[in-house]
Amino acid sequence: MAKQRAEPFLWLLFSAGGVVAALLVPALLLLFGVLFPLGWITPPDHDHLRAVAAFPLTRLVLFGLCVLALFHWAHRFRYTLYEGLQLKHLHRVIAVLCYGGAIAGSAAAAYLLTAGL
Amino acid sequence: MTVKDAPGGYTDFHPRWYRRPMPVFWWVRRRSYLAFVARELSSVFVAWFVAFLLLLIRAVGQGEAAYQRYLDWAANPFIIAVNVVALGFVVFHAITWFNLAPQAMVVRMRGQRVPPSMIAGGNYLAWLVASAIVIWIVLA
């Protein structure tokens, strides 16, 4: 019962995470994952990046991005395992691992964006 | 227990429903199925990106030397390869997500339905603006 009431809320998180991931992740991944490592663009220096990251609005956006993107993953991956690999009988373990992972990641993000910066 | 003895005249054992067994890799048979699974799998790369981003934030918080170590680690060919694949999946996610938006959002203005192409266009415009802001903030 409780699970059925949680489902619309989880779907909302999934959907919000999908929007945020679609809007922000490609540009960030292109810069930090591909262009900087390949040396095509010089990465920003440490002081600039730290100043940007420590700005309150950036912290908030980064935290929201991490939390929503993680719950987006948790929800979608849960169904990938259920249907793609036909593991429906393991639904409890899978749900705990997916949402537990998202909660752990969100806690890590909260710590790194407050005490860590 | 016979049919006659059972309460209501039924046995406790009803025949198992017939279900055609599905092979585990049912989704490789058709392009549209494969696209569906690719879309679902894009979420794994979204999660990988969050981990990659959190490591960056940690390194930036720890100082200059840690940031340099992070940049060196990210320049490892294996990590670059993972990120190139991840970028492909994330862009695929973005495109399929924005193309789906008109079906999820039915907007009406003065009693007229806003054409789906305009809603998709608005989403792509938002993507462009958000990407430009991100790149500007990081590089400025």
Side-chain angles (χ1 to χ4, degrees):
Chain A
M1 270 295 124
K3 208 170 167 191
Q4 267 164 12
R5 250 179 270 139
E7 197 68 19
F9 177 68
L10 292 171
W11 193 87
L12 209 67
L13 284 177
F14 158 74
S15 156
V19 173
V20 174
L23 287 176
L24 297 176
V25 174
L28 283 168
L29 194 54
L30 180 68
L31 287 176
F32 287 97
V34 181
L35 296 182
F36 296 155
L38 286 176
W40 292 0
I41 300 182
T42 320
D45 60 41
H46 173 257
D47 292 344
H48 169 70
L49 219 51
R50 182 170 205 158
V52 164
F55 188 67
L57 186 63
T58 323
R59 290 186 205 223
L60 203 66
V61 170
L62 287 175
F63 181 67
L65 169 64
C66 289
V67 172
L68 293 176
L70 283 171
F71 275 93
H72 171 81
W73 162 77
H75 197 69
R76 200 168 224 185
F77 192 57
R78 181 163 73 105
Y79 283 100
T80 309
L81 294 179
Y82 285 179
E83 273 131 39
L85 296 178
Q86 298 178 12
L87 297 176
K88 189 101 200 191
H89 54 287
L90 296 176
H91 67 100
R92 197 153 294 166
V93 184
I94 289 173
V96 167
L97 285 179
C98 286
Y99 295 119
I103 291 169
S106 302
Y111 172 76
L112 288 173
L113 285 165
T114 52
L117 270 176
Chain B
M1 192 185 287
T2 62
V3 172
K4 212 177 74 191
D5 300 335
Y10 294 101
T11 56
D12 290 341
F13 307 101
H14 62 73
R16 285 169 68 89
W17 307 120
Y18 177 66
R19 286 210 181 122
R20 265 176 61 194
M22 276 286 252
V24 171
F25 291 102
W26 57 268
W27 40 272
V28 292
R29 278 195 247 154
R30 262 203 218 175
R31 252 183 83 129
S32 57
Y33 296 167
L34 206 62
F36 163 74
V37 170
R39 227 163 38 231
E40 299 287 294
L41 276 182
S42 71
S43 67
V44 174
F45 293 96
V46 169
W48 153 257
F49 168 77
V50 174
F52 186 71
L53 179 70
L54 287 176
L55 287 174
L56 169 66
I57 294 170
R58 192 181 68 147
V60 168
Q62 282 173 346
E64 182 104 47
Y67 176 55
Q68 195 52 54
R69 273 201 304 280
Y70 174 86
L71 290 179
D72 293 342
W73 170 75
N76 177 318
F78 175 73
I79 303 292
I80 296 180
V82 171
N83 277 328
V84 168
V85 174
L87 183 65
F89 271 95
V90 171
V91 169
F92 183 65
H93 160 74
I95 291 171
T96 52
W97 193 270
F98 293 138
N99 285 346
L100 202 71
Q103 265 132 301
M105 299 166 57
V106 176
V107 183
R108 285 178 182 281
M109 246 184 206
R110 292 188 196 154
Q112 299 266 309
R113 186 178 168 180
V114 175
S117 58
M118 265 183 74
I119 293 182
N123 277 282
Y124 279 105
L125 189 68
W127 187 18
L128 202 72
V129 171
S131 301
I133 292 175
V134 165
I135 292 170
W136 180 72
I137 289 176
V138 170
L139 295 179

